[in-house]
């Protein structure tokens, strides 16, 4: 199996610009998660999909953030009118749900670094 | 609510030293517990997991035991190597597996 793939790996953008990140999950994984991680912190949950349905969104996901998974395969995370506080690593993860029992494991991609200048 | 508390780092050890990274959790119900490792500039990789009380997860010489009575899942390794230098995250998932909660991470540096 190929792992979770994210693109681009690094993005530098000017404040006020829009950016979009793409995530390709592990094949056959029906759940896809987005997390944000800042330096020295653990990942913070943003949202997750089961197939194409977005089932939960964190309060961290402001109106400027939107995520889609139109065909239940890859997903995009768009940030509009970026702010310096959006600078972080955006992590995508995927899993099989409900899996084979307890202990649903999520597998992360390598992340997309965003720097807003 | 659900949360994870890890010992603060950074931790610096000499090669072949014994490692313990403490992790305690607060959860409703019976969560699954995980340790993930992150190398510089990379995403998180699953290191080990345990899904019920008294389970021991192990991988690459690392071990952690799910202790319900102390709500802990401490990570241990008997003899660390330079290649173990990374940031280690303790995490839990709720019973439904819908949400994962991560600690703030513990940075480990192993010196030769």
């Amino acid at each position: 199996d190929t792992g979770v793939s994210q693109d681009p790996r690094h993005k530098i953008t000017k404040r006020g610009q829009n950016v979009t990140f793409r995530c390709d999950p592990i094949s056959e994984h029906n759940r896809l998660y987005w997390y944000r991680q800042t330096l020295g912190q653990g990942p913070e949950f943003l949202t997750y999909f089961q197939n194409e349905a977005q089932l939960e969104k964190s309060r961290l996901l402001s109106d400027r953030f939107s995520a889609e998974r139109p065909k239940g395969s890859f997903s995009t995370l768009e940030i509009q009118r970026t702010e310096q506080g959006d600078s972080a690593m955006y992590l995508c993860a995927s899993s099989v749900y409900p899996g084979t029992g307890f202990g649903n494991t999520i597998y992360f991609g390598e992340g997309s670094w965003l720097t807003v200048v | 609510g659900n949360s994870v508390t890890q010992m603060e780092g950074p931790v610096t050890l000499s090669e072949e030293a014994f490692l313990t990274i403490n992790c305690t959790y607060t959860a409703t119900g019976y969560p699954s517990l995980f340790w993930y490792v992150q190398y510089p500039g990379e995403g998180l990789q699953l290191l080990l997991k345990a899904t019920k009380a008294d389970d021991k997860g192990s991988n690459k010489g690392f071990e952690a035991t799910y202790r319900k009575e102390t709500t802990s899942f401490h990570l241990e390794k008997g003899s660390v190597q330079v290649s173990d230098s990374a940031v280690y995250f303790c995490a839990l998932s709720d019973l439904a597996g819908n949400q994962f909660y991560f600690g703030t991470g513990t940075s480990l540096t192993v010196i030769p």
Side-chain angles (χ1 to χ4, degrees):
Chain A
D1 276 339
T2 58
V4 177
S5 177
Q6 293 188 244
D7 183 71
R9 291 291 314 278
H10 299 89
K11 178 72 175 178
I12 300 174
T13 191
K14 291 184 178 180
R15 190 174 52 186
Q17 298 293 305
N18 299 345
V19 296
T20 299
F21 299 110
R22 175 182 169 123
C23 172
D24 289 89
I26 295 172
S27 179
E28 306 303 324
H29 278 196
N30 57 347
R31 281 207 169 169
L32 187 148
Y33 302 78
W34 285 101
Y35 283 80
R36 180 170 68 187
Q37 186 181 20
T38 53
L39 282 176
Q41 298 298 315
E44 296 175 298
F45 170 77
L46 293 178
T47 188
Y48 83 93
F49 294 83
Q50 181 154 318
N51 300 311
E52 65 275 10
Q54 189 172 20
L55 296 186
E56 190 168 347
K57 293 194 293 185
S58 163
R59 290 171 298 168
L60 293 175
L61 213 64
S62 77
D63 291 345
R64 297 183 297 105
F65 288 69
S66 62
E68 295 183 341
R69 194 182 184 199
K71 297 182 180 179
S73 56
F74 73 91
S75 175
T76 58
L77 176 69
E78 181 183 18
I79 308 174
Q80 296 182 325
R81 304 181 303 282
T82 52
E83 301 173 357
Q84 286 189 321
D86 297 332
S87 296
M89 182 159 69
Y90 291 85
L91 290 163
C92 178
S94 70
S95 71
V96 176
Y97 185 84
T100 56
F102 294 106
N104 179 31
T105 300
I106 59 173
Y107 298 90
F108 284 88
E110 295 195 335
S112 292
W113 282 100
L114 173 64
T115 302
V116 181
V117 298
Chain B
N2 297 318
S3 66
V4 173
T5 302
Q6 284 183 240
M7 65 182 278
E8 293 191 8
V11 174
T12 302
L13 295 174
S14 297
E15 205 165 22
E16 298 184 3
F18 184 85
L19 168 71
T20 299
I21 300 178
N22 290 338
C23 171
T24 56
Y25 67 90
T26 301
T28 52
Y30 303 96
S32 294
L33 301 173
F34 305 81
W35 278 100
Y36 281 83
V37 58
Q38 186 175 36
Y39 298 100
E42 299 184 8
L44 281 71
Q45 300 175 24
L46 177 67
L47 182 59
L48 54 83
K49 71 178 188 183
T51 59
K52 61 184 186 294
D54 299 325
D55 263 5
K56 177 185 283 187
S58 61
N59 186 27
K60 300 180 181 179
F62 291 90
E63 293 183 340
T65 301
Y66 189 144
R67 300 287 188 200
K68 189 169 184 294
E69 63 277 12
T70 54
T71 62
S72 65
F73 192 55
H74 304 321
L75 182 68
E76 296 182 335
K77 187 175 185 183
S79 176
V80 294
Q81 306 300 311
V82 172
S83 58
D84 294 328
S85 298
V87 180
Y88 292 81
F89 291 92
C90 186
L92 70 83
S93 72
D94 61 19
L95 183 60
N98 293 334
Q99 277 248 29
F100 287 74
Y101 302 84
F102 289 84
T104 54
T106 302
S107 174
L108 170 67
T109 301
V110 180
I111 54 177

